[in-house]
Amino acid sequence: MAGFEQAWQELAQIGGGGAGGYHRFAWTPVDLALRGWFQEQAARRGMAYELDRNGNQWAWWGVPGPGAVVTGSHLDSVPGGGAFDGPLGVVSAFLAVDELRERGVTPTRPLAVVNFADEEGARFGVACVGSRLLTGILAPDDARALRDGDEVSLAEAMRAAGADPSTLGRDEQALSRIGAFVELHIEQGRGLVDLNAPVGVASAIWPHGRWRCTFHGEANHAGTTRLADRHDPMLPFASTVLAARNVAERLGALATFGKVRIDPNGTNAIPSRVDAWLDGRAPDAETVRAMVDEITDAARTAATGHGVRVEVVPESTTPVVRFGDELRDRITTALGGAPALPTGAGHDAGILSASVPTAMLFVRNPTGVSHSPAEHATVEDCVTGVAALATVLEDLACE
Ligand SMILES: [Zn+2]
């Protein structure tokens, strides 16, 4: 317990915290401090440190090579993020190494702890950049050209942080060493609370996507335009938000409008245009499609009633991830029967699952809140998570 609290406190100092949450963005001075922390943790344990071609950090117990059992997560955060999303997996990974050593375990396969670069995509807009580059899902030129809110490119940001952007791209050598990847992560919902279990195993990541809905109306004076004469795009947008909620509820899916842009955005002006972004998620791709179709129909019907034109354009879609039965069954057995549960959130493990055997452990989150300072796990559950991870690593790395 004290070991966990001490390790946790060291990391908690970096990049904000408190009521405003963490601001830990890729390739900033805060990120460099987090990376320094990782390197220090590797050194303290006598683990060989390595930075791969895509900015991901590795710490090795044993000689790096094929068949390695790899665990870890990410250290970056969303704006105003919680303390646990990402860092819990990295801290737990190092503490699991300590626990294995205390148990007197010597792995027969190499074991590595990893910190994936820029998982949240908070600065450059694309999530899981480090794992997408490693697996070749993201093209190096596209990555280098990504820009942050100040028009700084990823390539420039990496150079400013002392990293080399010219080496980005699918890394066959790094990938071929991974025998299995297990990511421990705080649960981002209340599944384990309902199951009354501290630790669970991921079954799947729901397919999800983003759609831009644009409502074209007519700008006019808020004081002189009769209600009957208006083409106010805000009204069909409002109906669409309510429709999205109803459709999602009926289909057992999730729909969120979390971002909206209004032109001209004046208190005394009827807007000319509303751009709104729909985030849609469901257990399977058919349900996502059906939900977005219904929301689109509702938007069209509402828009017609107000003399407003609407367009719905997909911006990104991510297919379902089903973690392999074989690894999941083995982990579940090693843990003496932990519950399996799906999640609506994306992870590096989801990206890696297309290339290597991958699994995830979730630690209970009593509030179910994530991407917010309210995100939480008890010290007891975190310690249980470390022990579970150590048991899984022991089972996989000591054949
Ligand atoms: Zn995360």
Side-chain angles (χ1 to χ4, degrees), residues 73-74 76 84-87 119-120 183-186 188 345-348 360 370-371 375:
S73 191
H74 60 96
D76 66 321
F84 296 83
D85 178 352
E119 194 272 348
E120 299 287 5
E183 178 171 3
L184 179 146
H185 204 280
I186 184 150
Q188 293 169 291
H347 297 285
D348 291 311
M360 286 190 80
S370 187
H371 287 183
E375 181 181 271

Side-chain angles (χ1 to χ4, degrees), residues 242-253 290-292 294-295 298:
L242 297 175
R245 167 68 184 229
N246 290 334
V247 173
E249 211 160 307
R250 182 156 39 75
L251 296 180
M291 175 174 73
V292 174
E294 274 201 54
I295 295 170

Side-chain angles (χ1 to χ4, degrees), residues 218-229:
E218 193 179 274
N220 215 328
H221 195 293
T224 59
T225 317
R226 295 189 310 156
L227 293 179
D229 294 338

Side-chain angles (χ1 to χ4, degrees), residues 2 72 92 101 142 176 189 223 225 229 242 251 267 270 276 342 354 377 379 382-383 387 390 392:
S92 298
R101 288 172 173 176
D142 293 347
S176 68
T225 317
D229 294 338
L242 297 175
L251 296 180
T267 306
I270 299 161
V379 176
C382 291
V383 170
V392 167

